[in-house]
């Protein structure tokens, strides 16, 4: 959204309810009952062609869903769900929509402060990470991580660390991999096992980094912002002044390398992110004199 929505805006809950309503079209249990594959269940969350078989199936299932829940329209949905539920529903609609809705994470940062409890923030953070993990798994390079690893590692961080450390800077080089699997070795360290694609196989050319990676960077940052174990504290020294800054690690596209798969890890200050999540605020690491400070009691 061009202008971040806040609770003071008249369209605050209307916007949440509209996206929640759209997401509800794919949020039925008919797919799992029919025994569809994991991939087909995943596809229900993506945009589908209007009038296709999948579209008609979702419409029929959605009508049954509304009937069971006694929800007649978007207004009823808005009045039925609490804001916490609408945030979760709208989040699931916006992720994977490669339009202005993909920036909905910025709005959630702004209005979640007095809406979500810490437990609800944690739930949303892990839910976002699981969705990103599933998204990466169903790309052509099949990036797979063990279940529940998202509780201690960001799937996006694991993926971008892999391509950065292996100097994978083009789509063509990334699509040489048929499978990339993350595992934890006996010492508890992250390692990667890979399978290369047969050169005779035709590579899928529909992979677009802007949609498949860049649109998810903000959601990954939101998850780390919500998830307390990701928060750290560093001490900086700049212009003769020392400051303790709470932050979290995240990634951003390196715009100096346009046309390449090049991303860099940055430290986002919590306070600035909370107020202006769309701004590219980051801590200058040259100014850090002490990092990962423990026993830090924050004064609100």
């Amino acid at each position: 959204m061009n202008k971040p929505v806040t609770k003071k805006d008249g369209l605050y809950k209307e916007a949440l309810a509209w996206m929640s309503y759209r997401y509800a079209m794919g949020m039925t249990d008919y797919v799992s009952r029919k025994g569809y594959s994991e991939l087909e269940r995943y596809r229900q969350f993506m945009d589908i062609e209007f009038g296709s078989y999948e579209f008609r199936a979702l419409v029929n299932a959605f009508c049954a869903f509304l009937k069971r829940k006694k929800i007649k329209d978007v207004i009823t949905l808005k009045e039925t769900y609490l804001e916490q539920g609408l945030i979760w529903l709208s989040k699931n609609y916006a992720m994977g929509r490669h339009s202005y809705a993909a920036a909905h994470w910025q709005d959630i940062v702004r209005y979640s402060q007095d809406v979500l409890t810490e437990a609800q923030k944690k739930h949303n953070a892990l839910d976002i990470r699981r969705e990103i993990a599933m998204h990466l798994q169903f790309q052509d390079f099949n990036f797979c991580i063990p279940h529940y690893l998202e509780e201690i590692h960001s799937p996006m961080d694991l993926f971008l660390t892999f391509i950065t450390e292996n100097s994978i800077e083009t789509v063509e080089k990334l699509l040489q991999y048929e499978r990339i699997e993350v595992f934890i070795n006996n010492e508890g360290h992250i390692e990667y096992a890979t399978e290369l694609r047969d050169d005779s196989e035709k590579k899928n050319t529909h992979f677009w980094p802007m949609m498949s990676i860049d649109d998810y960077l903000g959601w990954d940052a939101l998850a780390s912002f919500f998830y307390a174990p990701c928060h750290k504290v560093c001490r900086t020294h700049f212009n003769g002044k020392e400051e303790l800054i709470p932050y979290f690690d995240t990634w951003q596209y390196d715009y100096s390398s346009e046309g390449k798969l090049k991303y860099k890890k940055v430290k986002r200050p919590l306070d600035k992110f909370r107020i202006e999540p769309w701004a590219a605020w980051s801590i200058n690491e040259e100014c850090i004199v002490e990092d990962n400070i423990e026993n830090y009691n924050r004064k609100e």
Side-chain angles (χ1 to χ4, degrees):
M1 297 181 180
N2 294 329
K3 182 181 179 181
V5 177
T6 67
K7 289 198 67 176
K8 296 180 181 179
D9 296 330
L11 293 178
Y12 160 69
K13 200 170 180 181
E14 193 74 37
L16 283 181
W18 181 82
M19 283 187 280
S20 300
Y21 187 77
R22 291 293 302 270
Y23 174 68
M25 293 182 67
M27 191 190 152
T28 66
D29 58 356
Y30 87 104
V31 175
S32 58
R33 290 205 316 269
K34 294 289 186 180
Y36 281 55
S37 69
E38 191 70 26
L39 177 58
E40 288 168 312
R41 285 202 294 273
Y42 176 67
R43 287 184 62 199
Q44 69 174 316
F45 299 104
M46 309 304 289
D47 292 322
I48 58 177
E49 183 180 354
F50 180 83
S52 65
Y53 170 79
E54 292 102 327
F55 179 85
R56 291 194 297 272
L58 283 178
V59 169
N60 292 335
F62 180 52
C63 290
F65 170 79
L66 296 180
K67 186 176 181 180
R68 292 196 307 274
K69 299 296 182 181
K70 298 181 180 179
I71 296 174
K72 299 178 181 179
D73 49 37
V74 68
I75 296 176
T76 309
L77 184 72
K78 180 177 67 175
E79 295 173 348
T80 302
Y81 278 86
L82 297 174
E83 288 171 314
Q84 295 94 326
L86 291 178
I87 287 176
W88 186 86
L89 287 163
S90 63
K91 176 262 298 180
N92 280 279
Y93 166 77
M95 288 187 70
R97 292 307 187 276
H98 308 298
S99 64
Y100 71 92
H104 179 48
W105 63 270
Q106 299 174 4
D107 300 323
I108 294 178
V109 171
R110 293 288 298 275
Y111 59 60
S112 65
Q113 303 310 307
D114 53 356
V115 173
L116 299 179
T117 65
E118 291 305 311
Q120 289 167 338
K121 289 178 183 178
K122 176 181 177 181
H123 169 78
N124 276 277
L126 296 181
D127 201 46
I128 289 170
R129 285 186 169 186
R130 292 186 191 104
E131 175 66 16
I132 293 176
M134 186 175 292
H135 168 74
L136 293 172
Q137 181 179 351
F138 290 116
Q139 297 301 311
D140 296 317
F141 41 81
N142 296 298
F143 188 82
C144 301
I145 68 171
H147 292 300
Y148 308 114
L149 191 61
E150 68 274 1
E151 294 187 8
I152 54 176
H153 289 284
S154 155
M156 185 61 74
D157 177 66
L158 293 172
F159 171 69
L160 293 179
T161 296
F162 173 80
I163 69 171
T164 300
E165 291 181 349
N166 289 276
S167 301
I168 301 173
E169 296 186 350
T170 65
V171 172
E172 291 74 20
K173 192 169 182 179
L174 178 59
L175 294 182
Q176 289 179 351
Y177 292 90
E178 185 170 22
R179 183 179 178 85
I180 305 167
E181 187 167 356
V182 180
F183 66 95
I184 300 179
N185 62 24
N186 294 333
E187 287 73 38
H189 301 304
I190 292 292
E191 291 191 7
Y192 300 88
T194 62
E195 295 179 19
L196 293 178
R197 194 181 306 276
D198 189 329
D199 290 338
S200 63
E201 295 182 26
K202 183 179 179 180
K203 299 181 181 65
N204 190 325
T205 57
H206 298 296
F207 172 77
W208 190 11
M210 182 177 291
M211 290 186 174
S212 298
I213 301 177
D214 299 5
D215 280 354
Y216 289 85
L217 293 178
W219 293 98
D220 178 63
L222 173 62
S224 296
F225 173 69
F226 274 169
Y227 197 34
C230 294
H231 300 173
K232 305 175 184 178
V233 178
C234 68
R235 187 190 310 275
T236 62
H237 187 276
F238 181 70
N239 283 343
K241 180 183 177 181
E242 284 197 356
E243 185 179 5
L244 290 174
I245 304 178
Y247 73 91
F248 62 89
D249 291 314
T250 188
W251 290 78
Q252 69 181 30
Y253 179 72
D254 185 356
Y255 289 96
S256 63
S257 303
E258 189 173 350
K260 292 186 177 181
L261 292 176
K262 196 158 186 180
Y263 301 83
K264 60 181 179 181
K265 203 168 188 176
V266 295
K267 301 181 186 301
R268 292 268 188 254
L270 278 169
D271 290 338
K272 289 185 179 295
F273 187 82
R274 180 180 291 107
I275 298 171
E276 296 180 330
W278 58 89
W281 295 107
S282 62
I283 301 173
N284 185 344
E285 300 202 27
E286 293 182 358
C287 297
I288 297 177
V289 295
E290 185 181 2
D291 203 356
N292 294 320
I293 299 175
E294 298 181 358
N295 302 319
Y296 168 73
N297 295 319
R298 177 155 188 192
K299 297 180 180 180
E300 295 293 345

